[in-house]
Each structure stands twice: as structure tokens, then as C-alpha cells.
Amino acid sequence: MNGTETGYAVTLTDLSKRFGDFVAVDRLNLQVGRGEIFGFLGPNGAGKSTTIRMLCGILPPSGGSGTVAGFDIGKDAEEIKKNIGYMSQKFSLYEDLTVEENIDFYSGIYRIPAIKKRERKEWVIEMAGLREHRSSRTAILSGGWKQRLALGCAILHEPPIIFLDEPTSGVDPISRRNFWDLIYHLAGQGVTVFVTTHYMDEAEYCDRLGLIYRGELIALGTPEELKTHQMTEEIVELFCDHPQDAMGLIEELPGVRHAALFGRGLHVVVERAAAAVPAIERKLADAGYTAVQPERIIPSLEDVFVSLIEARDRQEAPQGEFSR
Amino acid sequence: MFERLTCMLKKEFIQTLRDPRMRFILFIIPAFQTVIFGYAVNTDVRQIKTAIYDLDNSTESRDIATRLSRSGYFQVTEHIRQEGRVRELLDRGEVKAVFRMNRGMGETLQAGRTASLQIILDGADSNTAGIVLNYAMNIAARYNEHLRVLQISRERGAAAAPEGVVLQSRAWYNDNLESSNYYVPAVIANIVLIITMLLSSMAVVREKEIGTMEQMIVTPISRGEFILGKTIPFVLIGFIDVAIITVVAYFWFGVPIRGSLPLLFAATGLFLMSSLGFGLFLSTISRTQQQAMMSSFMFIFPAMLLSGFAFPIENMPATVQWLTFLNPLRYYLVIIRSIFLKGVGFSILWPQMLGLFVLGAVILSFAVQRFRKTLT
Ligand SMILES: Nc1ncnc2c1ncn2[C@@H]1O[C@H](COP(=O)(O)OP(=O)(O)OP(=O)(O)O)[C@@H](O)[C@H]1O
Ligand SMILES: [Mg+2]
């Protein structure tokens, strides 16, 4: 099978990974199209890095299969490696080498032709804003610089598919912005980007998102789709004084799943907003709150994820008790 | 074609040699160690501090005392006057041996009867004590010979004195039995083992620890290129250390180099197959650099003890002797000592070279086999 036939850059079929008895990745099924920016989200320990590592040939899968650039991850791992760039969650350049030495090392490893070498090197140095630091040891660079240099080294050989595992963790907002500009630029050139993140604003930049929780894919779609279709509950937003006290009152109401502080106000997850809005209004008015004005809003991605994960927990809780 | 390997090597050299402390450890310390070993590991027993307790004070007893001090082995530091002093001197370690000539010794000898010469030794260091005893017995035997000749010539006239058999000993390869000649070349083996094994055992696990291994795995670099890139620098460092120690041995200690240096380097190459192979193996199975270092030492110490460096293999129990055949250091030591002191060549040393090659090939291929370009 070749990638050009399926048109997908990455496919996962029942891909699984077990560490002993522990299932880190549980039968994932997923396709990522060429040129797509695919965001892979999930709480800590959900299995994001493990999935990426299997796709990059770092870890052998314990079940299922997958393809990257049309090559099977089990059989053609070495072919895959010529077609991908990978940036791991941990900074993984050589800190005792200088910026230039790191770039030279990777361009040698990827056998970039001599004529292109200079050009690519200058491109990375420009892109990462490291002109004044070309001969500094990588160890002394700040977080944002390191991140961009790592990205630069991962895409020196202009791979059609890149895997980025939390590329912007611990980086300031401006550097993150620049980083995403770059990712957009790459995607514009037809590069497929498979990226994990914990930042919801970054999730919004993705073409499509997959939410993984405890090794299972629990939601998949564009950010719009997830916000409008994925939630079975609805979100009511309200602003009031002493929101902490109000939270307790609201959660007593029937049809209210839970309430959470959100900025200066509260987000209340309810079964039906039409029924809940007047109920909340009445309850708070009785308690002496005025001008609360609850209204239904389109949920943010964060709302969606929190609600999906809680729904999943509720679903699994009885089983959990049973097995105990 | 060798582009990947070249840049792998370049990177490894930068990483290994950039740190000045590392350069010091790799190239200066071995020279120091050779000097220290050369002086410290010295089993020459000369000028043993000795006391004489002469209760007889006859011509004969004084003659024996003169013979002792003239032999060069004993340095008479004191003539004891009273009994208590014997224990005192030995207790304080001021002398290693006390010779005691009992009253009447001269008369007994003149009467043609057997007299006894007593030697009291500090036996705490059994090795030295044994050697001292040996020297003393030699001197006593010579004196006996002298007495016998005197007696015969007195009986039959001067001309009839028979010569008897005189043992003329001559130690080949190391004429003066200098222990530095024996030990200094052997330091090469120990230092090369320690340095190359420690370096290679850190090599892979360090990349695992700092996370760069993961990055290497996703590049198209092959297993062979990676392993060669990780080992060739240490081969070179091993060769450089051999050269440094050889220079120190030759110019500082005057150790002769009678054999061929190219053969020495060839044998070093064979030996490195084992030490690097084992280091690499430890590096692939260890999770942390500390673990790798500890396991290296677990190997290095027994390897040194069972190599014949300090303790002769012939004196070990038979089963342990068999075990030493699995020790690459054993073969390498024989080769080094033979090249330096005997000047023999490949026609004699080939069994040791073959032993090194076979062990090296097995260990190295096992290590390469074990090494996977994936994380577990
Ligand atoms: N080598 C391993 N051996 C055993 N368990 C592992 C191993 N690697 C990962 N795990 C476990 O698998 C689970 C998934 O880990 P993974 O690193 O994929 O999570 P993640 O989604 O990337 O989390 P994070 O957001 O914290 O990076 C975790 O519970 C982790 O402890
Ligand atoms: Mg992760």
C-alpha cells in the first residue's frame, strides 16, 4: 500500500500499546489527511506521546497497525524515518554542541546535499532568530529559542510529515504565536502536522482535533464540530458577586451537572439550557443575587473536553466499582 | 557515502574532548597513573632494614654480618645490645629482620660442628618475608660453602680445594629483575581497559538519559553507523593512551621495548573489541549512567584480579585458572609483556592474539545484536 493511493498522511488501525498489564493506547483508529494540521489532545498520561512514538518507530506497537506516508509502521519503519520530522516532548538537541554544530550534525545525518546545506542552515538560524547565537552552546539558550532550534533541526530535511509532541510547553505567548505562524506556513506548503498540546488556544488553530483519554479516542472532529455537536449537555454562563457561594446553590438544582469558575463568572453544565436558565435565575434571586442574567453560550473547547472526560468517567465509574 | 558516520564521529569527538576536564582525564591521568604504578607496584626487595644481635662477637659471627650487609639485600641499621630491643624494633617496623648469633657460634664452627644462625622476620607482609628468607638462606649456603672449602684446604693443602657447583643465575628478558619492567607495561592494559570500558558504557546510555536517543532513533541513521560512531572515537583514544604510556615507560622508567610496536597496536585493537563490546553491551542494558558505571567496575575489578597482573595465574586454583581463559585482559597482558621484554613476535604470540580475537568477536557481536534502534 502506498500513501498516494489512500491520500492519507497518517492512518491508525486499532493501534494499541501495552506496558505490562497497563494499556497506554487502546485500539486507536484515525486518519490524517495530507497537509492537515491535526491536533492531538488529552490530559496527562492519556497516551499522546506513546501514540506518536509508535508512529515514529521509536516504540513497537503491541497491537493493530498504522501507516505513515504510506509505509507500514511495523515493516517499513526505516522508510518512514526518511519522511518525517519529529520533535519530542523533551528538548533533545545536544546541549554541549553549539547551535551551528547541532544543525550541521542533523544535516549530515539526513544527508542533505552540500549545495542545500548552507541554505537550510541559514534558514533555520533565521527562523529561530539565532543569528547572534550561532556559536553559543545550546545549553545557554532560553526556552523559546531551544524550541525553535529543535523544530528547525527536525525539519531541516523538509519532511512531508512532522510530529510535534508538546512543542510549545513552557514557552512564552509571543514565542508560541511565532511558532504557530511557522506551523501554518509549513502546512500551507503541504506539510502534514501532527501536534499534541495542552493549550486550548492552540487547539483552535488545528484543522482537526482528536481527544484521547486513558488511551482511547473519545472525540474527533474540527474545533467547530466538537463545540457544536459533541456535547450532549449545554453550557450556561453567568456573572455574579460571590460566585463561589452561587456555585453551591446552582449545583443543588436538578438538571445541573456541575458548575465551574470561568474567568470572572461561572460556567454551568446543564442538561437543557431552556429549563435551567429560569431555574438558576429563580434560585439565585431567592438567595438575594440580582442581575445575574444567565445565558446559554457556545461552549469553549475546554468546556467540551472537560465535559467529555467527565461523561467518560461517569460511564466507567460503575464498572470500576464492580471490578473492585 | 560515509557522511553520516563522519558527522557522527565529529559530534562524538566534540562531545568527548570539548571539556578540558575530560581531556585531562583521558590523556594526562594515564601518564600520571603509569608513574605512580611504576613506583608503587614495586616488588623489588632490596636494602631490607636489618638489625644484628650478635651475642658471640667472634670472627665467624662478624664475618656473617659483613656478608649480609655486603650482599646489597640487607641494610644493617643497628647492632642490638639487649634482648628487649628485638621486639621493640620489629614492633615499630624499624627493621624487617633481625639476625641473631648465639654465644659460642664461632667455637662451634671451629670445632667443625653445626651452629645455628637465627633470623627473626616481620611476617606481616608474607610476600616480602618469603623473599627475605630466601636471600638469607642463599647467604648462609654460600657461607657454608666457604667453610667447607676452608676445611678441605686445611686438611689436604690449598691446591686441593674443590670448586663444587656454583649456581650462576641469570634472568632473561629482565636481567636485573626490575619489577618496574614487569609492571609498567602492564599498566597499559589496565588503563586502556578502564578508560575505554567506562567511556563506551556511558556512550549510549547518556543519550538515553538526556533524551537525544529518541531523536537519533527517528533519523535514518543505521545501527552500524551509530555503533561505529560511538566506538571509533574510543578506539582512537585507546591507541593514544597506549602511546602515552609507552613513552612514559620507555623514557621515564627505561623499560626496554624489544618487540614490534605495530604488533602492540594490533593487539590493542583486538583487545578493544572486547572492552568496547562489553562497554557497549552495558550501555544498552543500563538505564542510567550511574548504573552503567557501577556495572563496568563490577567487570573491571575481577578482570584485573584474574589477569595475572599482580597475582600469578599459576598460583590460582585450577577452576579459577580455567576462568581466566575467558578474560581478555589475561591475553593482552601476556602480549604486552612479551613485546616489551622478550621482543617476541606474532609467530609466538598468535595463540593470545587468536584468543583476544575470538573473545572480542563474540562479545562485540553480542553487543551489536542486543543494540536496537528502538526504546523498550
Ligand atoms: N516506557 C513506559 N513504560 C511504562 N509505562 C509507560 C511508558 N511510557 C509511558 N507509560 C505510561 O503510559 C501512559 C501514557 O503515557 P504518555 O507519555 O503517552 O502520555 P501523554 O499523553 O503524552 O501525557 P503527557 O501529557 O503528560 O505528556 C502513562 O500512564 C505513562 O505512565
Ligand atoms: Mg506526552
Side-chain angles (χ1 to χ4, degrees), chain A residues 217-265:
Chain A
L217 191 69
I218 60 172
L220 184 66
T222 64
E224 277 319 301
E225 282 167 357
L226 291 178
K227 281 186 278 191
T228 49
H229 303 314
Q230 275 293 332
M231 276 191 63
T232 47
E233 297 98 343
E234 292 167 349
I235 303 283
V236 171
E237 185 181 52
L238 57 93
F239 295 94
C240 63
D241 302 329
H242 312 296
Q244 250 122 342
D245 305 331
M247 239 162 82
L249 294 171
I250 293 167
E251 281 182 334
E252 286 165 12
L253 289 169
V256 170
R257 283 278 154 77
H258 84 124
L261 291 168
F262 205 96
R264 278 173 32 254

Side-chain angles (χ1 to χ4, degrees), chain B residues 302-303 305-308 311-331 334 359:
Chain B
L305 288 177
L306 299 181
S307 66
F311 312 109
I313 292 175
E314 299 79 54
N315 296 355
M316 297 173 187
T319 37
V320 179
Q321 286 198 27
W322 278 105
L323 211 60
T324 63
F325 284 109
L326 295 174
N327 184 359
L329 203 61
R330 172 206 167 122
Y331 303 104
V334 172
L359 276 178

Side-chain angles (χ1 to χ4, degrees), chain A residues 43-50 53 89 165-166 196 198:
Chain A
N44 292 130
K48 304 179 296 292
S49 300
T50 306
R53 285 181 170 152
Q89 187 168 351
D165 196 357
E166 292 187 35
T196 74
H198 286 297

Side-chain angles (χ1 to χ4, degrees), chain A residues 127-192:
Chain A
M127 176 274 279
L130 286 168
R131 222 174 320 156
E132 273 112 67
H133 291 282
R134 13 169 100 234
S135 13
S136 309
R137 289 202 203 166
T138 315
I140 64 148
L141 301 181
S142 74
W145 270 332
K146 279 185 182 173
Q147 228 80 359
R148 271 174 294 179
L149 180 61
L151 178 68
C153 288
I155 60 176
L156 264 175
H157 56 301
E158 300 176 275
I161 303 171
I162 58 182
F163 292 92
L164 308 173
D165 196 357
E166 292 187 35
T168 55
S169 64
V171 171
D172 71 69
I174 295 172
S175 299
R176 268 172 55 201
R177 211 40 255 203
N178 293 338
F179 197 91
W180 274 88
D181 283 345
L182 197 71
I183 291 175
Y184 265 129
H185 179 74
L186 290 170
Q189 296 173 332
V191 174
T192 310

